[in-house]
Amino acid sequence: MTRILVVDDEPQILRALRINLRARRYDVDIAGTGAAALKAAASHPPDLVVLDLGLPDIDGVEVIRGLRGWTGVPIIVLSGRAGSEDKVAALDAGADDYVTKPFGVEELLARIRAVTRRLGGPSEAVPALRIGQHTVDLADHSVLRDDGTEVKLTPTQWSVLEKLLRHPGKLVSQRQLLQDVWGPEYQNETNYLRQYLAQLRRKLEDDPARPRHLITEPGMGYRYRP
């Protein structure tokens, strides 16, 4: 059973989400503060986190950073902050998706299903691939720098990277990437792709401002150039 940690300081939201998620056979833990969330995640590691940014003790972005220090578990941000700066900060910190309050429970459930689909099954065997000074092994879900240190990627970053690396040299359209990674209901969310490609370039390209391997084809899509 998938374990979901819901973090929000509004008791009515915690209660509503706990009821709706349990009705759909999810195992649910709840927390009302950032400190309680980090403690709960460490004690009972979740498979997915739904996280409010406006917590009373620790800003939600800091909670994301705290989680990302030791886990790649998917994180869906749930927040009343509608500004693009907050979305960018949350995604850059390692969140996988962003839902703005007020929200519909069915929308949130659809996002949860999309994220869990992205966790996927075992990858088909493929050769190790090179991006700059990094070796990417899709079968092991590992990225190693030439000095032997590991680069950590979130589940969504892995999904985007894998779609490109499995089609070396070929254009992968924006529409195809959005549908394959997030689902058909996200086909207009091209800002997601810009954010995640920027994150991948910062982690993998020697010069993120002038990428040699993760290439944007303006208005069309993206390409992995071996």
Side-chain angles (χ1 to χ4, degrees):
M1 182 181 292
T2 301
R3 179 186 292 274
I4 298 180
L5 173 61
V6 180
V7 187
D8 200 295
D9 64 339
E10 298 183 45
Q12 63 272 29
I13 289 182
L14 289 177
R15 184 166 53 251
L17 291 182
R18 179 167 54 184
I19 292 170
N20 279 278
L21 289 170
R22 285 182 174 171
R24 288 159 176 84
R25 300 183 181 277
Y26 291 105
D27 193 5
V28 183
D29 293 324
I30 61 173
T33 66
L38 293 172
K39 183 178 180 180
S43 301
H44 303 284
D47 299 303
L48 184 145
V49 177
V50 176
L51 172 69
D52 181 22
L53 289 186
L55 298 171
D57 57 341
I58 306 172
D59 187 79
V61 172
E62 293 305 316
V63 176
I64 296 171
R65 294 193 179 109
L67 290 170
R68 283 290 172 256
W70 62 275
T71 180
V73 63
I75 300 172
I76 298 177
V77 165
L78 185 65
S79 178
R81 303 177 186 177
S84 60
E85 323 81 48
D86 295 305
K87 294 182 181 180
V88 170
L91 292 170
D92 279 346
D96 295 276
D97 204 346
Y98 197 110
V99 179
T100 302
K101 294 179 180 180
F103 64 95
V105 171
E106 291 302 323
E107 177 192 359
L108 178 60
L109 290 169
R111 305 255 183 154
I112 289 172
R113 290 193 297 270
V115 167
T116 52
R117 280 199 304 270
R118 294 202 293 275
L119 297 179
S123 301
E124 299 174 8
V126 293
L129 301 167
R130 294 284 297 175
I131 298 180
Q133 300 179 44
H134 304 83
T135 299
V136 182
D137 188 326
L138 293 177
D140 289 342
H141 271 202
S142 66
V143 179
L144 293 179
R145 297 188 184 91
D146 288 345
D147 63 7
T149 58
E150 183 179 4
V151 178
K152 294 186 180 298
L153 300 183
T154 69
T156 304
Q157 290 170 352
W158 267 115
S159 296
V160 173
L161 183 64
E162 182 170 0
K163 295 298 178 185
L164 296 176
L165 267 57
R166 287 189 180 277
H167 301 88
K170 296 182 180 179
L171 174 70
V172 182
S173 70
Q174 294 178 345
R175 186 182 185 88
Q176 181 180 342
L177 268 174
L178 287 166
Q179 176 167 315
D180 289 351
V181 176
W182 281 273
E185 62 270 33
Y186 294 85
Q187 290 181 4
N188 296 321
E189 301 286 351
T190 54
N191 59 307
Y192 278 35
L193 294 177
R194 288 193 294 272
Q195 289 293 331
Y196 279 95
L197 264 296
Q199 293 170 12
L200 288 168
R201 286 168 180 148
R202 285 197 294 271
K203 290 185 175 185
L204 301 176
E205 291 276 7
D206 294 339
D207 185 352
R210 288 182 285 274
R212 296 179 55 200
H213 302 283
L214 303 176
I215 307 301
T216 299
E217 301 290 352
M220 296 186 293
Y222 300 88
R223 188 189 312 270
Y224 164 58
R225 181 185 295 158

